[in-house]
Amino acid sequence: MRDGPGDVLAALLRRVRIGVARFGRVELGAPWGVRLAERDTVSLHLVLDGDLWVDDVPIGVGDLVALHSGGHTLRNDQGAVLVDEPEWPAGEGLSVFRRHGGDGPRTVLLCAELTVEGAARSLLLRALPPLVHLPTGLPHLAALLDALRDEIRERRPATDVVAARLVELVLLQVIRAELARPAESGSWRAALVDARIGRALAAVYGEPARQWTVAGLAKVAGMSRAAFAPRFRELVGEGPGAHLARWRMDLATALLVEQPDLSVAQVAAQVGYGSEFAFSTAFRRATGSPPGRYRTTRLA
């Protein structure tokens, strides 16, 4: 594993599924202010024209904002009165065109709401701040945004399908661009981009069924066992063994729901447990429910 940061990001992205709940063009006339409700999705907002403040941060034309984990505010001016977000129109499919606000100068946005699911969801979102602000002109992202704008504007056949795929790619580029930024020392972000700890994390995420030991992970990281364990705990927030166990449970909960044809014993084997009994005991301890009941409840 030569490239720690790249490998760990790839390992996490392989364990998530990104979907598009809706997208569209939104026109807002000044004065306007919207309070977004807390939701489990990630929202993207590309400024096509006009003024935008997000959580008291000024956003320029051509800039892209990604939001998650908690309520946020959008408005044309810091003094604008906030109202609750209007309901999305029903029955219009993925692509929605909306107007809101007064008769003043317009702010025009391309907005998308995306779902992020899978075993690595919490780890990936933990690495992103609730507000990601990317300025216009970033390499690789600009071409995708141009293509997305073109699809929404031209409304060619299969626009909903093509635009949805472009939106998914935009979010992937947002994640990659944000994780390339300097990380605060001691943060989870710093663990992901640390060359040595990143190699160990990529190993855990990529081969969860392997019988990893602290010594084995230290060797992957290129560190002594004595130096590796405290450094891992400092950056990740828990020891290597505890993090491996947590990751296995995240994988197991996803597999039980996403692959209902797998038996509990098969799920156990895929996440590194030698016996169904040992897995069931660990799963009950982590979730409060045995694997079979957990699956039945989630699939009901």
Side-chain angles (χ1 to χ4, degrees):
M1 297 183 181
R2 297 182 300 275
D3 181 5
D7 281 351
V8 71
L9 177 57
L12 288 176
L13 289 177
R14 289 189 189 102
R15 298 289 188 172
V16 295
R17 299 183 314 284
I18 296 173
V20 180
R22 60 180 65 89
F23 61 82
R25 176 187 171 99
V26 179
E27 296 183 4
L28 304 123
W32 64 271
V34 175
R35 185 185 302 107
L36 302 183
E38 186 168 349
R39 47 169 62 98
D40 293 332
T41 53
V42 176
S43 59
L44 298 177
H45 305 275
L46 173 65
V47 185
L48 300 182
D49 193 19
D51 298 320
L52 175 65
W53 290 75
V54 178
D55 297 347
D56 296 323
V57 176
I59 311 297
V61 173
D63 291 5
L64 180 69
V65 176
L67 306 173
H68 75 93
S69 299
H72 297 275
T73 60
L74 280 69
R75 44 189 154 187
N76 71 294
D77 182 84
Q78 283 183 295
V81 175
L82 294 168
V83 300
D84 290 339
E85 178 186 14
E87 293 290 331
W88 286 86
E92 296 191 25
L94 278 177
S95 186
V96 178
F97 294 81
R98 306 173 67 194
R99 289 176 176 81
H100 179 67
D103 297 325
R106 293 186 311 160
T107 298
V108 183
L109 308 174
L110 282 185
C111 302
E113 188 173 355
L114 300 98
T115 58
V116 180
E117 300 176 332
R121 179 187 187 278
S122 62
L123 292 175
L124 195 60
L125 293 184
R126 180 181 166 192
L128 298 177
L131 188 160
V132 178
H133 176 200
L134 297 178
T136 184
L138 285 180
H140 310 301
L141 189 55
L144 277 175
L145 294 176
D146 285 343
L148 180 59
R149 278 191 291 259
D150 184 60
E151 281 295 331
I152 296 293
R153 181 177 60 249
E154 297 297 328
R155 302 291 297 169
R156 291 187 288 264
T159 280
D160 280 7
V161 176
V162 174
R165 296 298 176 265
L166 288 171
V167 169
E168 293 171 19
L169 290 173
V170 167
L171 180 56
L172 291 176
Q173 290 287 9
V174 167
I175 292 169
R176 185 157 66 176
E178 178 60 26
L179 293 185
R181 291 176 170 178
E184 181 182 350
S185 178
S187 67
W188 168 241
R189 282 268 309 281
L192 294 184
V193 300
D194 182 276
R196 295 177 298 178
I197 299 303
R199 284 195 294 269
L201 288 171
V204 166
Y205 300 151
E207 299 181 81
R210 186 167 171 175
Q211 298 306 302
W212 290 110
T213 63
V214 175
L217 289 172
K219 184 176 180 180
V220 170
M223 302 172 68
S224 70
R225 187 185 189 283
F228 170 74
R231 178 63 174 167
F232 189 100
R233 181 180 294 276
E234 175 191 354
L235 292 182
V236 178
E238 59 189 350
H243 193 68
L244 173 59
R246 183 190 299 272
W247 173 239
R248 285 172 169 171
M249 289 299 104
D250 287 345
L251 281 175
T253 55
L255 286 171
L256 286 166
V257 175
E258 295 167 10
Q259 300 189 38
D261 291 339
L262 291 178
S263 68
V264 172
Q266 288 172 319
V267 172
Q270 287 199 26
V271 299
Y273 285 85
S275 74
E276 182 177 341
F277 176 78
F279 167 68
S280 297
T281 301
F283 191 90
R284 183 194 290 269
R285 186 165 56 244
T287 67
S289 175
R293 183 183 303 163
Y294 178 90
R295 168 181 273 168
T296 300
T297 302
R298 290 305 179 96
L299 293 178

